[in-house]
Amino acid sequence: MREKSLVLIKPDGVQRGLIGRIMQRFEDVGLKMVGMKMVWVDKEFAKEHYAAHVDKPFYPGLECMITEGPVVAMVLEGLHAVEQVRKMVGKTEPKSAEPGTIRGDFSQHSYAYTDAKGIAIKNLIHASGNVEEANAEVALWFKEGEMHDYKTVHEKHVF
Ligand code: CDP
Ligand code: MG
């Protein structure tokens, strides 16, 4: 039940100065940061990361958004980490995301607005959608040597 999830603070989150506040939420719940780096991805890498979306109508806007500045990439580990992180991140559309979630508390875009403007939904975060996606995304973004094995106090009280 211990899982790893890939989380990105997207360029809008980095540029809005939300790195610390977003990371704080994951640390507060006891998720363990086992990998972390800042990366400015190119179009080719964006297509690999968003392979499932390249043929969708919103992809050009999504590619433009994810390559417009650096992202902060993290690997978070914990019990049911993939589901836990998705719950904390909230729904894809900020307008529908519940208050208390990261997207619900810090962003406001709607599909109606971004589709009309031909831009991507700016929702601050990427988080792996399921365990299979998480394993593939962690392997895409992080080499073995870039992840670290150490003990947190949560491991003493949870595991
Ligand atoms: O990020 P999440 O897994 O919640 O959503 P997704 O369906 O995997 O879509 C990936 C990203 O594409 C979203 O986070 C949005 O930034 C963007 N997107 C968009 O701009 N317009 C849509 N109609 C759907 C997704
Ligand atoms: Mg997704």
Side-chain angles (χ1 to χ4, degrees):
M1 284 168 247
R2 274 172 91 147
E3 298 167 358
K4 288 188 178 72
S5 183
L6 179 88
V7 174
L8 306 175
I9 303 177
K10 293 176 179 176
D12 53 324
V14 172
Q15 290 167 28
R16 285 181 52 193
L18 291 172
I19 297 170
R21 291 167 81 183
I22 290 172
M23 281 187 184
Q24 185 71 64
R25 292 188 175 213
F26 296 126
E27 287 192 323
D28 284 347
V29 83
L31 286 161
K32 177 179 175 181
M33 189 81 67
V34 295
M36 178 172 62
K37 59 185 176 182
M38 192 175 229
V39 188
W40 194 326
V41 301
D42 59 18
K43 291 180 178 192
E44 197 183 325
F45 192 87
K47 285 189 181 75
E48 282 189 67
H49 173 68
Y50 280 128
H53 296 314
V54 280
D55 296 325
K56 301 206 176 137
F58 61 83
Y59 184 75
L62 177 58
E63 185 182 85
C64 186
M65 182 267 281
I66 202 70
T67 58
E68 77 162 67
V71 305
V72 171
M74 295 169 258
V75 180
L76 296 173
E77 184 184 300
L79 280 186
H80 312 286
V82 174
E83 187 183 333
Q84 171 95 27
V85 168
R86 285 295 293 204
K87 190 176 68 177
M88 294 172 71
V89 166
K91 293 201 178 91
T92 303
E93 184 190 37
K95 176 176 166 285
S96 312
E98 300 292 338
T101 64
I102 295 166
R103 287 167 170 169
D105 284 351
F106 293 107
S107 56
Q108 52 178 310
H109 266 169
S110 64
Y111 290 129
Y113 180 76
T114 57
D115 286 352
K117 286 197 87 177
I119 60 170
I121 285 264
K122 292 194 179 178
N123 54 12
L124 303 166
I125 295 239
H126 167 81
S128 304
N130 55 57
V131 173
E132 195 187 350
E133 198 176 287
N135 292 339
E137 290 179 351
V138 167
L140 177 66
W141 283 82
F142 284 83
K143 299 188 190 97
E144 272 299 312
E146 292 178 318
M147 285 187 284
H148 303 284
D149 194 16
Y150 64 98
K151 289 268 175 272
T152 66
V153 290
H154 297 288
E155 286 170 299
K156 185 173 164 195
H157 298 293
V158 178
F159 302 130

PDB file of all heavy atoms in Angstrom, residues 10 50 53 58 62 65 86 90-92 103 111 114-115 119-123 125-127 133, ligand 1:
ATOM      1  N   LYS A  10       3.192  23.274 -11.707  1.00  0.00           N
ATOM      2  CA  LYS A  10       3.297  23.734 -13.094  1.00  0.00           C
ATOM      3  C   LYS A  10       3.801  25.187 -13.139  1.00  0.00           C
ATOM      4  O   LYS A  10       3.833  25.873 -12.096  1.00  0.00           O
ATOM      5  CB  LYS A  10       1.929  23.612 -13.755  1.00  0.00           C
ATOM      6  CG  LYS A  10       1.426  22.170 -13.937  1.00  0.00           C
ATOM      7  CD  LYS A  10       0.003  22.217 -14.512  1.00  0.00           C
ATOM      8  CE  LYS A  10      -0.582  20.861 -14.765  1.00  0.00           C
ATOM      9  NZ  LYS A  10      -1.994  20.973 -15.218  1.00  0.00           N
ATOM     10  N   TYR A  50       2.627  14.013 -21.563  1.00  0.00           N
ATOM     11  CA  TYR A  50       1.186  14.089 -21.833  1.00  0.00           C
ATOM     12  C   TYR A  50       0.804  13.224 -23.048  1.00  0.00           C
ATOM     13  O   TYR A  50      -0.094  13.587 -23.806  1.00  0.00           O
ATOM     14  CB  TYR A  50       0.764  15.542 -22.055  1.00  0.00           C
ATOM     15  CG  TYR A  50       0.579  16.333 -20.766  1.00  0.00           C
ATOM     16  CD1 TYR A  50       1.208  17.557 -20.572  1.00  0.00           C
ATOM     17  CD2 TYR A  50      -0.256  15.876 -19.745  1.00  0.00           C
ATOM     18  CE1 TYR A  50       1.031  18.294 -19.393  1.00  0.00           C
ATOM     19  CE2 TYR A  50      -0.441  16.603 -18.568  1.00  0.00           C
ATOM     20  CZ  TYR A  50       0.202  17.807 -18.400  1.00  0.00           C
ATOM     21  OH  TYR A  50       0.006  18.531 -17.242  1.00  0.00           O
ATOM     22  N   HIS A  53      -2.692  12.705 -24.065  1.00  0.00           N
ATOM     23  CA  HIS A  53      -3.500  13.872 -24.460  1.00  0.00           C
ATOM     24  C   HIS A  53      -3.084  14.511 -25.782  1.00  0.00           C
ATOM     25  O   HIS A  53      -3.727  15.463 -26.226  1.00  0.00           O
ATOM     26  CB  HIS A  53      -3.409  14.956 -23.373  1.00  0.00           C
ATOM     27  CG  HIS A  53      -3.988  14.543 -22.054  1.00  0.00           C
ATOM     28  ND1 HIS A  53      -5.202  13.915 -21.927  1.00  0.00           N
ATOM     29  CD2 HIS A  53      -3.513  14.679 -20.785  1.00  0.00           C
ATOM     30  CE1 HIS A  53      -5.448  13.672 -20.639  1.00  0.00           C
ATOM     31  NE2 HIS A  53      -4.432  14.118 -19.930  1.00  0.00           N
ATOM     32  N   PHE A  58      -7.344  20.232 -26.783  1.00  0.00           N
ATOM     33  CA  PHE A  58      -6.708  21.191 -25.877  1.00  0.00           C
ATOM     34  C   PHE A  58      -5.184  21.035 -25.817  1.00  0.00           C
ATOM     35  O   PHE A  58      -4.512  21.802 -25.136  1.00  0.00           O
ATOM     36  CB  PHE A  58      -7.313  21.091 -24.463  1.00  0.00           C
ATOM     37  CG  PHE A  58      -7.156  19.753 -23.784  1.00  0.00           C
ATOM     38  CD1 PHE A  58      -5.981  19.418 -23.120  1.00  0.00           C
ATOM     39  CD2 PHE A  58      -8.197  18.826 -23.811  1.00  0.00           C
ATOM     40  CE1 PHE A  58      -5.836  18.191 -22.480  1.00  0.00           C
ATOM     41  CE2 PHE A  58      -8.063  17.586 -23.184  1.00  0.00           C
ATOM     42  CZ  PHE A  58      -6.870  17.270 -22.518  1.00  0.00           C
ATOM     43  N   LEU A  62      -2.086  23.169 -23.906  1.00  0.00           N
ATOM     44  CA  LEU A  62      -1.451  22.485 -22.762  1.00  0.00           C
ATOM     45  C   LEU A  62       0.069  22.467 -22.933  1.00  0.00           C
ATOM     46  O   LEU A  62       0.813  22.755 -21.996  1.00  0.00           O
ATOM     47  CB  LEU A  62      -2.015  21.062 -22.667  1.00  0.00           C
ATOM     48  CG  LEU A  62      -1.439  20.155 -21.584  1.00  0.00           C
ATOM     49  CD1 LEU A  62      -1.604  20.746 -20.204  1.00  0.00           C
ATOM     50  CD2 LEU A  62      -2.107  18.768 -21.656  1.00  0.00           C
ATOM     51  N   MET A  65       1.494  25.869 -22.291  1.00  0.00           N
ATOM     52  CA  MET A  65       1.477  26.183 -20.855  1.00  0.00           C
ATOM     53  C   MET A  65       2.586  25.440 -20.092  1.00  0.00           C
ATOM     54  O   MET A  65       3.302  26.042 -19.300  1.00  0.00           O
ATOM     55  CB  MET A  65       0.094  25.821 -20.294  1.00  0.00           C
ATOM     56  CG  MET A  65      -0.108  26.118 -18.833  1.00  0.00           C
ATOM     57  SD  MET A  65       0.282  24.717 -17.805  1.00  0.00           S
ATOM     58  CE  MET A  65      -1.194  23.725 -17.998  1.00  0.00           C
ATOM     59  N   ARG A  86      -4.166  13.021  -5.152  1.00  0.00           N
ATOM     60  CA  ARG A  86      -5.249  13.471  -6.052  1.00  0.00           C
ATOM     61  C   ARG A  86      -6.369  14.115  -5.249  1.00  0.00           C
ATOM     62  O   ARG A  86      -6.957  15.111  -5.659  1.00  0.00           O
ATOM     63  CB  ARG A  86      -5.819  12.287  -6.853  1.00  0.00           C
ATOM     64  CG  ARG A  86      -4.960  11.794  -7.974  1.00  0.00           C
ATOM     65  CD  ARG A  86      -4.746  12.763  -9.101  1.00  0.00           C
ATOM     66  NE  ARG A  86      -5.910  13.082  -9.890  1.00  0.00           N
ATOM     67  CZ  ARG A  86      -5.867  13.524 -11.156  1.00  0.00           C
ATOM     68  NH1 ARG A  86      -4.711  13.697 -11.769  1.00  0.00           N
ATOM     69  NH2 ARG A  86      -6.958  13.817 -11.797  1.00  0.00           N
ATOM     70  N   GLY A  90      -7.507  18.033  -5.970  1.00  0.00           N
ATOM     71  CA  GLY A  90      -8.866  18.408  -6.375  1.00  0.00           C
ATOM     72  C   GLY A  90      -9.123  18.226  -7.859  1.00  0.00           C
ATOM     73  O   GLY A  90      -8.252  17.801  -8.613  1.00  0.00           O
ATOM     74  N   LYS A  91     -10.349  18.545  -8.264  1.00  0.00           N
ATOM     75  CA  LYS A  91     -10.775  18.300  -9.651  1.00  0.00           C
ATOM     76  C   LYS A  91      -9.964  19.116 -10.652  1.00  0.00           C
ATOM     77  O   LYS A  91      -9.462  20.191 -10.336  1.00  0.00           O
ATOM     78  CB  LYS A  91     -12.252  18.660  -9.803  1.00  0.00           C
ATOM     79  CG  LYS A  91     -13.193  17.752  -9.019  1.00  0.00           C
ATOM     80  CD  LYS A  91     -14.611  17.825  -9.628  1.00  0.00           C
ATOM     81  CE  LYS A  91     -15.556  16.888  -8.903  1.00  0.00           C
ATOM     82  NZ  LYS A  91     -16.239  17.558  -7.788  1.00  0.00           N
ATOM     83  N   THR A  92      -9.892  18.581 -11.887  1.00  0.00           N
ATOM     84  CA  THR A  92      -9.101  19.218 -12.948  1.00  0.00           C
ATOM     85  C   THR A  92      -9.529  20.662 -13.193  1.00  0.00           C
ATOM     86  O   THR A  92      -8.702  21.554 -13.359  1.00  0.00           O
ATOM     87  CB  THR A  92      -9.246  18.394 -14.253  1.00  0.00           C
ATOM     88  OG1 THR A  92      -8.847  17.054 -13.992  1.00  0.00           O
ATOM     89  CG2 THR A  92      -8.400  18.982 -15.367  1.00  0.00           C
ATOM     90  N   ARG A 103      -6.281  23.064  -5.909  1.00  0.00           N
ATOM     91  CA  ARG A 103      -6.869  23.769  -7.058  1.00  0.00           C
ATOM     92  C   ARG A 103      -8.061  24.619  -6.631  1.00  0.00           C
ATOM     93  O   ARG A 103      -8.253  25.729  -7.116  1.00  0.00           O
ATOM     94  CB  ARG A 103      -7.276  22.752  -8.134  1.00  0.00           C
ATOM     95  CG  ARG A 103      -6.070  22.156  -8.874  1.00  0.00           C
ATOM     96  CD  ARG A 103      -6.467  20.940  -9.695  1.00  0.00           C
ATOM     97  NE  ARG A 103      -5.412  20.480 -10.589  1.00  0.00           N
ATOM     98  CZ  ARG A 103      -5.453  19.332 -11.244  1.00  0.00           C
ATOM     99  NH1 ARG A 103      -6.492  18.504 -11.103  1.00  0.00           N
ATOM    100  NH2 ARG A 103      -4.469  18.987 -12.047  1.00  0.00           N
ATOM    101  N   TYR A 111     -13.639  25.487 -17.800  1.00  0.00           N
ATOM    102  CA  TYR A 111     -13.512  25.012 -19.179  1.00  0.00           C
ATOM    103  C   TYR A 111     -14.139  26.029 -20.124  1.00  0.00           C
ATOM    104  O   TYR A 111     -13.626  26.274 -21.215  1.00  0.00           O
ATOM    105  CB  TYR A 111     -14.215  23.658 -19.357  1.00  0.00           C
ATOM    106  CG  TYR A 111     -13.522  22.506 -18.671  1.00  0.00           C
ATOM    107  CD1 TYR A 111     -14.230  21.649 -17.827  1.00  0.00           C
ATOM    108  CD2 TYR A 111     -12.172  22.242 -18.893  1.00  0.00           C
ATOM    109  CE1 TYR A 111     -13.608  20.573 -17.206  1.00  0.00           C
ATOM    110  CE2 TYR A 111     -11.553  21.164 -18.283  1.00  0.00           C
ATOM    111  CZ  TYR A 111     -12.265  20.343 -17.439  1.00  0.00           C
ATOM    112  OH  TYR A 111     -11.654  19.283 -16.833  1.00  0.00           O
ATOM    113  N   THR A 114     -11.515  28.864 -20.673  1.00  0.00           N
ATOM    114  CA  THR A 114     -10.267  28.527 -21.383  1.00  0.00           C
ATOM    115  C   THR A 114     -10.556  28.000 -22.794  1.00  0.00           C
ATOM    116  O   THR A 114      -9.795  28.286 -23.713  1.00  0.00           O
ATOM    117  CB  THR A 114      -9.415  27.498 -20.597  1.00  0.00           C
ATOM    118  OG1 THR A 114     -10.190  26.326 -20.351  1.00  0.00           O
ATOM    119  CG2 THR A 114      -8.925  28.084 -19.289  1.00  0.00           C
ATOM    120  N   ASP A 115     -11.660  27.261 -22.983  1.00  0.00           N
ATOM    121  CA  ASP A 115     -11.995  26.791 -24.331  1.00  0.00           C
ATOM    122  C   ASP A 115     -12.284  27.983 -25.242  1.00  0.00           C
ATOM    123  O   ASP A 115     -11.852  28.019 -26.395  1.00  0.00           O
ATOM    124  CB  ASP A 115     -13.208  25.841 -24.296  1.00  0.00           C
ATOM    125  CG  ASP A 115     -12.838  24.473 -23.727  1.00  0.00           C
ATOM    126  OD1 ASP A 115     -11.631  24.225 -23.522  1.00  0.00           O
ATOM    127  OD2 ASP A 115     -13.750  23.666 -23.476  1.00  0.00           O
ATOM    128  N   ILE A 119      -6.924  28.460 -24.647  1.00  0.00           N
ATOM    129  CA  ILE A 119      -5.754  28.261 -23.792  1.00  0.00           C
ATOM    130  C   ILE A 119      -5.983  27.066 -22.862  1.00  0.00           C
ATOM    131  O   ILE A 119      -7.111  26.570 -22.751  1.00  0.00           O
ATOM    132  CB  ILE A 119      -5.434  29.523 -22.933  1.00  0.00           C
ATOM    133  CG1 ILE A 119      -6.626  29.874 -22.007  1.00  0.00           C
ATOM    134  CG2 ILE A 119      -5.061  30.702 -23.830  1.00  0.00           C
ATOM    135  CD1 ILE A 119      -6.316  30.942 -20.975  1.00  0.00           C
ATOM    136  N   ALA A 120      -4.916  26.636 -22.188  1.00  0.00           N
ATOM    137  CA  ALA A 120      -5.031  25.505 -21.250  1.00  0.00           C
ATOM    138  C   ALA A 120      -5.622  25.985 -19.934  1.00  0.00           C
ATOM    139  O   ALA A 120      -5.459  27.142 -19.546  1.00  0.00           O
ATOM    140  CB  ALA A 120      -3.664  24.894 -21.001  1.00  0.00           C
ATOM    141  N   ILE A 121      -6.279  25.062 -19.280  1.00  0.00           N
ATOM    142  CA  ILE A 121      -6.721  25.281 -17.899  1.00  0.00           C
ATOM    143  C   ILE A 121      -5.476  25.436 -17.021  1.00  0.00           C
ATOM    144  O   ILE A 121      -4.621  24.549 -16.993  1.00  0.00           O
ATOM    145  CB  ILE A 121      -7.506  24.035 -17.403  1.00  0.00           C
ATOM    146  CG1 ILE A 121      -8.894  23.977 -18.018  1.00  0.00           C
ATOM    147  CG2 ILE A 121      -7.545  23.933 -15.907  1.00  0.00           C
ATOM    148  CD1 ILE A 121      -9.991  24.555 -17.158  1.00  0.00           C
ATOM    149  N   LYS A 122      -5.361  26.548 -16.334  1.00  0.00           N
ATOM    150  CA  LYS A 122      -4.239  26.717 -15.403  1.00  0.00           C
ATOM    151  C   LYS A 122      -4.713  26.284 -14.024  1.00  0.00           C
ATOM    152  O   LYS A 122      -5.504  26.967 -13.378  1.00  0.00           O
ATOM    153  CB  LYS A 122      -3.761  28.160 -15.412  1.00  0.00           C
ATOM    154  CG  LYS A 122      -3.125  28.510 -16.753  1.00  0.00           C
ATOM    155  CD  LYS A 122      -2.330  29.783 -16.738  1.00  0.00           C
ATOM    156  CE  LYS A 122      -1.712  30.011 -18.118  1.00  0.00           C
ATOM    157  NZ  LYS A 122      -0.948  31.258 -18.208  1.00  0.00           N
ATOM    158  N   ASN A 123      -4.210  25.123 -13.619  1.00  0.00           N
ATOM    159  CA  ASN A 123      -4.675  24.547 -12.354  1.00  0.00           C
ATOM    160  C   ASN A 123      -3.520  24.155 -11.438  1.00  0.00           C
ATOM    161  O   ASN A 123      -3.663  23.305 -10.569  1.00  0.00           O
ATOM    162  CB  ASN A 123      -5.610  23.359 -12.631  1.00  0.00           C
ATOM    163  CG  ASN A 123      -4.969  22.324 -13.533  1.00  0.00           C
ATOM    164  OD1 ASN A 123      -3.766  22.361 -13.775  1.00  0.00           O
ATOM    165  ND2 ASN A 123      -5.767  21.386 -14.017  1.00  0.00           N
ATOM    166  N   ILE A 125      -1.105  22.356 -10.726  1.00  0.00           N
ATOM    167  CA  ILE A 125      -0.472  21.097 -10.309  1.00  0.00           C
ATOM    168  C   ILE A 125      -0.740  19.996 -11.324  1.00  0.00           C
ATOM    169  O   ILE A 125      -1.828  19.940 -11.901  1.00  0.00           O
ATOM    170  CB  ILE A 125      -1.115  20.618  -8.981  1.00  0.00           C
ATOM    171  CG1 ILE A 125      -0.817  21.593  -7.877  1.00  0.00           C
ATOM    172  CG2 ILE A 125      -0.713  19.252  -8.604  1.00  0.00           C
ATOM    173  CD1 ILE A 125      -0.082  20.988  -6.730  1.00  0.00           C
ATOM    174  N   HIS A 126       0.217  19.131 -11.471  1.00  0.00           N
ATOM    175  CA  HIS A 126      -0.033  17.825 -12.079  1.00  0.00           C
ATOM    176  C   HIS A 126       0.159  16.776 -10.998  1.00  0.00           C
ATOM    177  O   HIS A 126       1.098  16.873 -10.200  1.00  0.00           O
ATOM    178  CB  HIS A 126       0.953  17.534 -13.224  1.00  0.00           C
ATOM    179  CG  HIS A 126       0.906  16.099 -13.640  1.00  0.00           C
ATOM    180  ND1 HIS A 126      -0.058  15.611 -14.495  1.00  0.00           N
ATOM    181  CD2 HIS A 126       1.657  15.025 -13.261  1.00  0.00           C
ATOM    182  CE1 HIS A 126       0.120  14.301 -14.635  1.00  0.00           C
ATOM    183  NE2 HIS A 126       1.154  13.921 -13.899  1.00  0.00           N
ATOM    184  N   ALA A 127      -0.703  15.780 -10.968  1.00  0.00           N
ATOM    185  CA  ALA A 127      -0.516  14.650 -10.045  1.00  0.00           C
ATOM    186  C   ALA A 127      -0.922  13.377 -10.770  1.00  0.00           C
ATOM    187  O   ALA A 127      -1.945  13.351 -11.464  1.00  0.00           O
ATOM    188  CB  ALA A 127      -1.370  14.837  -8.790  1.00  0.00           C
ATOM    189  N   GLU A 133      -0.043   4.896 -13.865  1.00  0.00           N
ATOM    190  CA  GLU A 133       0.431   6.171 -14.408  1.00  0.00           C
ATOM    191  C   GLU A 133       1.584   6.699 -13.543  1.00  0.00           C
ATOM    192  O   GLU A 133       2.586   7.211 -14.052  1.00  0.00           O
ATOM    193  CB  GLU A 133      -0.749   7.160 -14.396  1.00  0.00           C
ATOM    194  CG  GLU A 133      -0.608   8.381 -15.284  1.00  0.00           C
ATOM    195  CD  GLU A 133      -1.892   9.231 -15.259  1.00  0.00           C
ATOM    196  OE1 GLU A 133      -2.911   8.806 -15.852  1.00  0.00           O
ATOM    197  OE2 GLU A 133      -1.886  10.317 -14.637  1.00  0.00           O
TER     198      GLU A 133
HETATM  199  O1  CDP B   1      -4.319  17.136 -14.557  1.00  0.00           O
HETATM  200  P1  CDP B   1      -5.472  16.156 -14.490  1.00  0.00           P
HETATM  201  O2  CDP B   1      -5.013  14.724 -14.394  1.00  0.00           O
HETATM  202  O3  CDP B   1      -6.454  16.528 -13.416  1.00  0.00           O
HETATM  203  O4  CDP B   1      -6.290  16.316 -15.860  1.00  0.00           O
HETATM  204  P2  CDP B   1      -6.099  15.624 -17.282  1.00  0.00           P
HETATM  205  O5  CDP B   1      -7.464  15.287 -17.799  1.00  0.00           O
HETATM  206  O6  CDP B   1      -5.080  14.538 -17.225  1.00  0.00           O
HETATM  207  O7  CDP B   1      -5.552  16.830 -18.189  1.00  0.00           O
HETATM  208  C1  CDP B   1      -4.203  17.253 -18.100  1.00  0.00           C
HETATM  209  C2  CDP B   1      -4.167  18.758 -18.085  1.00  0.00           C
HETATM  210  O8  CDP B   1      -4.618  19.259 -19.326  1.00  0.00           O
HETATM  211  C3  CDP B   1      -5.081  19.432 -17.051  1.00  0.00           C
HETATM  212  O9  CDP B   1      -4.520  19.490 -15.756  1.00  0.00           O
HETATM  213  C4  CDP B   1      -5.247  20.820 -17.661  1.00  0.00           C
HETATM  214  O10 CDP B   1      -4.145  21.662 -17.342  1.00  0.00           O
HETATM  215  C5  CDP B   1      -5.232  20.528 -19.155  1.00  0.00           C
HETATM  216  N1  CDP B   1      -6.595  20.489 -19.740  1.00  0.00           N
HETATM  217  C6  CDP B   1      -7.062  21.606 -20.438  1.00  0.00           C
HETATM  218  O11 CDP B   1      -6.358  22.600 -20.539  1.00  0.00           O
HETATM  219  N2  CDP B   1      -8.320  21.605 -20.992  1.00  0.00           N
HETATM  220  C7  CDP B   1      -9.106  20.518 -20.887  1.00  0.00           C
HETATM  221  N3  CDP B   1     -10.319  20.540 -21.459  1.00  0.00           N
HETATM  222  C8  CDP B   1      -8.657  19.386 -20.189  1.00  0.00           C
HETATM  223  C9  CDP B   1      -7.389  19.392 -19.618  1.00  0.00           C
END
